[in-house]
Amino acid sequence: MQACACRPATVRVCMCVHARACLQPVAKAHMDVRCRTAFPEDQSGGGDDAEKEEGKGGGGNPQEARLQRSPSPNRKHRALAMTEAVGAKPKRILVTGGTGLVGRAIQEVVANGEGQTDEEWVFVSSRDADLTSAVETKALFEKHKPTHVIHLAAMVGGLFKNIRCNLDFWRRNIHINDNVLHSAYECGVQKVVSCLSTCIFPDKTTYPIDETMIHNGPPHSSNFGYSYAKRMIDVQNRGYFEQHGCRFTAVIPTNVFGPHDNFNIEDGHVLPGLIHKVYLAKQNGSALTVWGTGKPRRQFIYSLDLARLFIWVLREYEEVEPIILSVGEEDEVSIREAAEAIVEAMDFRGELIFDTTKADGQFKKTASNAKLRHYLPNFQFTPFRQAVKETCTWFSTNYTSARK
Ligand SMILES: NC(=O)c1ccc[n+]([C@@H]2O[C@H](COP(=O)([O-])OP(=O)(O)OC[C@H]3O[C@@H](n4cnc5c(N)ncnc54)[C@H](OP(=O)(O)O)[C@@H]3O)[C@@H](O)[C@H]2O)c1
């Protein structure tokens, strides 16, 4: 699944002009009608309601709207204030980290029918601006003048990279997040949706984890740099709301996987790393060695499902408080079960070995998706084994160009 050759570093997906056609080669067979049927209840009524709400907005000038609102820590007030701020003008949505796993999934879902005619999507990467630089970040925002932002850009990595580089994860992500949120504030962006992660929750906690528990205790020591940096996004979102009335919010996905992931065995996340290992073991006729005991448990979310949920959050979720985007607790699987799903998908027939000298990381971080289900009771997640199969097929097909 390759981008067409004419695609520049910045990918624009204007839903009404030739740029969309330009993106068509990026989209491929494994996206299907799920994109269009994800929100049946929303298509009939929710969208209209949202438009009516938008009509209430005063003038569409976000700076003006901010001044009219009286910030309050109360959730209902926050939601009301955010609704009032929405203008009726076309949206220009800037996606930072637009070339990564999640960014590419949003590109694909937008290009395959989820985009709307009043939206212009701009996907940027580190080639457009190094977001650790305040000057480059501000220039990026002044160039594109977004009305909305999906903020994905981050230093991201698996357990072993986190253990090695906690300081780098903290510093880079703190700089990126502060630069993006402050530039968004200065440029009058109407809404920002940033991305946290369930691995930032306290290590010692009760299960299931929910959105109210982010700051209740220290995160697991293996990834404290990444975790504290991500938690500060939530702190900043509250600050921007309470001081300036900004509609900055965040989502909390569980472990994401899918096409365009980082399949590096040392530095990537567990599932893409395992896919790469199975691919090599099959090629070499060797055993598959899984790092750790295989006992830790994870909730995995397919990047294309996450992309559809991100778009819903951008358009319709009105709270400043974050929302967990996850499959249900009943869909949590052990690392062993995940490895077995990959083995089956890739038809690997060799031996499976668990190297128990390697770290397991956090044993589990079971998250509740009750809040998500309250809003979207009928959202359909792609079954885990089907999503694994699609990802394995993508990796095998794109082996030479995949990040690894
Ligand atoms: N993957 C997961 O399992 C997972 C789980 C929960 C939450 N998340 C969160 O989801 C978001 C997206 O993750 P992902 O897995 O899609 O990451 P990814 O595939 O590693 O992509 C990272 C993106 O960030 C950009 N980026 C990194 N450093 C940058 C910088 N200094 N300036 C500008 N852009 C920069 C990269 O641009 P280049 O391509 O140019 O380097 C790339 O587009 C992140 O915020 C991550 O914390 C991920």
Side-chain angles (χ1 to χ4, degrees):
M1 187 150 72
Q2 294 295 305
C4 73
C6 65
R7 195 165 64 89
T10 303
V11 181
R12 283 178 173 274
V13 188
C14 174
M15 299 314 299
C16 54
V17 295
H18 59 277
R20 184 180 178 194
C22 170
L23 263 181
Q24 285 306 316
V26 178
K28 246 187 99 184
H30 75 266
M31 271 309 297
D32 59 26
V33 74
R34 285 191 309 260
C35 311
R36 276 166 228 112
T37 55
F39 312 113
E41 75 279 21
D42 298 305
Q43 281 168 352
S44 58
D48 289 343
D49 286 349
E51 277 164 28
K52 280 178 214 150
E53 289 294 326
E54 288 187 7
K56 286 186 200 168
N61 179 340
Q63 302 288 11
E64 231 175 66
R66 278 179 194 146
L67 292 173
Q68 286 165 9
R69 279 170 285 155
S70 47
S72 157
N74 176 285
R75 177 179 289 188
K76 276 188 191 156
H77 287 167
R78 289 182 185 191
L80 180 65
M82 294 196 315
T83 304
E84 286 168 355
V86 178
K89 290 180 182 170
K91 297 180 185 130
R92 183 175 297 125
I93 303 156
L94 179 71
V95 182
T96 72
T99 52
L101 163 66
V102 182
R104 291 294 295 253
I106 296 176
Q107 280 190 43
E108 185 154 337
V109 167
V110 166
N112 276 283
E114 281 291 317
Q116 294 180 347
T117 49
D118 66 342
E119 293 173 349
E120 183 187 0
W121 289 79
V122 182
F123 295 88
V124 291
S125 75
S126 62
R127 286 201 290 160
D128 297 277
D130 176 359
L131 299 175
T132 61
S133 153
V135 173
E136 288 190 33
T137 308
K138 194 169 181 200
L140 181 81
F141 274 73
E142 282 169 355
K143 177 180 174 191
H144 293 293
K145 298 187 173 43
T147 58
H148 295 68
V149 172
I150 291 182
H151 172 39
L152 303 173
M155 180 177 176
V156 178
L159 171 65
F160 297 95
K161 187 172 178 185
N162 272 276
I163 290 172
R164 283 200 319 275
C165 310
N166 265 299
L167 177 64
D168 294 344
F169 274 96
W170 161 260
R171 293 194 69 227
R172 273 195 225 171
N173 287 327
I174 277 288
H175 286 135
I176 289 174
N177 298 335
D178 185 53
N179 291 335
V180 167
L181 292 178
H182 201 63
S183 294
Y185 161 66
E186 286 186 331
C187 292
V189 168
Q190 291 170 29
K191 186 168 180 179
V192 179
V193 182
S194 298
C195 198
L196 312 182
S197 166
T198 47
C199 67
I200 72 167
F201 278 93
D203 181 31
K204 294 189 175 35
T205 186
T206 53
Y207 296 101
I209 296 160
D210 70 40
E211 291 84 352
T212 65
M213 297 157 74
I214 297 176
H215 304 284
N216 285 359
H220 193 265
S221 59
S222 59
N223 64 352
F224 70 89
Y226 176 82
S227 299
Y228 279 119
K230 285 283 181 188
R231 287 183 186 190
M232 292 308 113
I233 290 181
D234 182 55
V235 172
Q236 284 194 240
N237 285 348
R238 284 158 191 251
Y240 278 110
F241 178 76
E242 291 186 10
Q243 261 183 257
H244 302 296
C246 297
R247 279 193 319 151
F248 295 173
T249 190
V251 301
I252 313 177
T254 48
N255 289 51
V256 191
F257 71 100
H260 303 283
D261 207 339
N262 177 6
F263 292 85
N264 186 288
I265 291 172
E266 295 284 334
D267 292 341
H269 287 108
V270 59
L271 207 109
L274 280 171
I275 291 174
H276 193 176
K277 280 188 193 176
V278 174
Y279 180 91
L280 294 178
K282 200 175 164 188
Q283 295 274 310
N284 303 332
S286 54
L288 166 66
T289 304
V290 179
W291 291 345
T293 61
K295 289 180 184 163
R297 302 184 67 76
R298 298 287 181 265
Q299 284 154 300
F300 292 100
I301 181 167
Y302 193 31
S303 59
L304 295 165
D305 293 343
L306 179 60
R308 293 182 288 138
L309 289 171
F310 247 111
I311 293 169
W312 167 76
V313 169
L314 184 81
R315 292 179 187 150
E316 312 217 14
Y317 180 72
E318 302 266 310
E319 299 183 30
V320 170
E321 283 85 356
I323 181 166
I324 291 172
L325 302 181
S326 173
V327 299
E329 292 157 57
E330 66 283 2
D331 292 318
E332 190 173 52
V333 295
S334 68
I335 300 301
R336 173 189 279 274
E337 287 164 334
E340 286 168 353
I342 297 166
V343 162
E344 183 188 299
M346 298 184 96
D347 193 25
F348 172 71
R349 301 191 181 176
E351 192 187 356
L352 197 60
I353 298 168
F354 291 88
D355 179 355
T356 54
T357 64
K358 291 275 201 284
D360 263 344
Q362 201 165 354
F363 177 67
K364 67 174 187 173
K365 34 194 177 180
T366 317
S368 162
N369 69 355
K371 187 175 188 180
L372 174 66
R373 282 301 182 203
H374 168 76
Y375 280 105
L376 292 179
N378 299 323
F379 183 84
Q380 285 173 22
F381 288 96
T382 308
F384 178 63
R385 283 183 181 260
Q386 181 187 332
V388 166
K389 175 85 183 149
E390 290 177 4
T391 307
C392 292
T393 303
W394 183 90
F395 181 66
S396 302
T397 310
N398 296 278
Y399 183 74
T400 46
S401 59
R403 264 192 297 168
K404 54 185 187 305

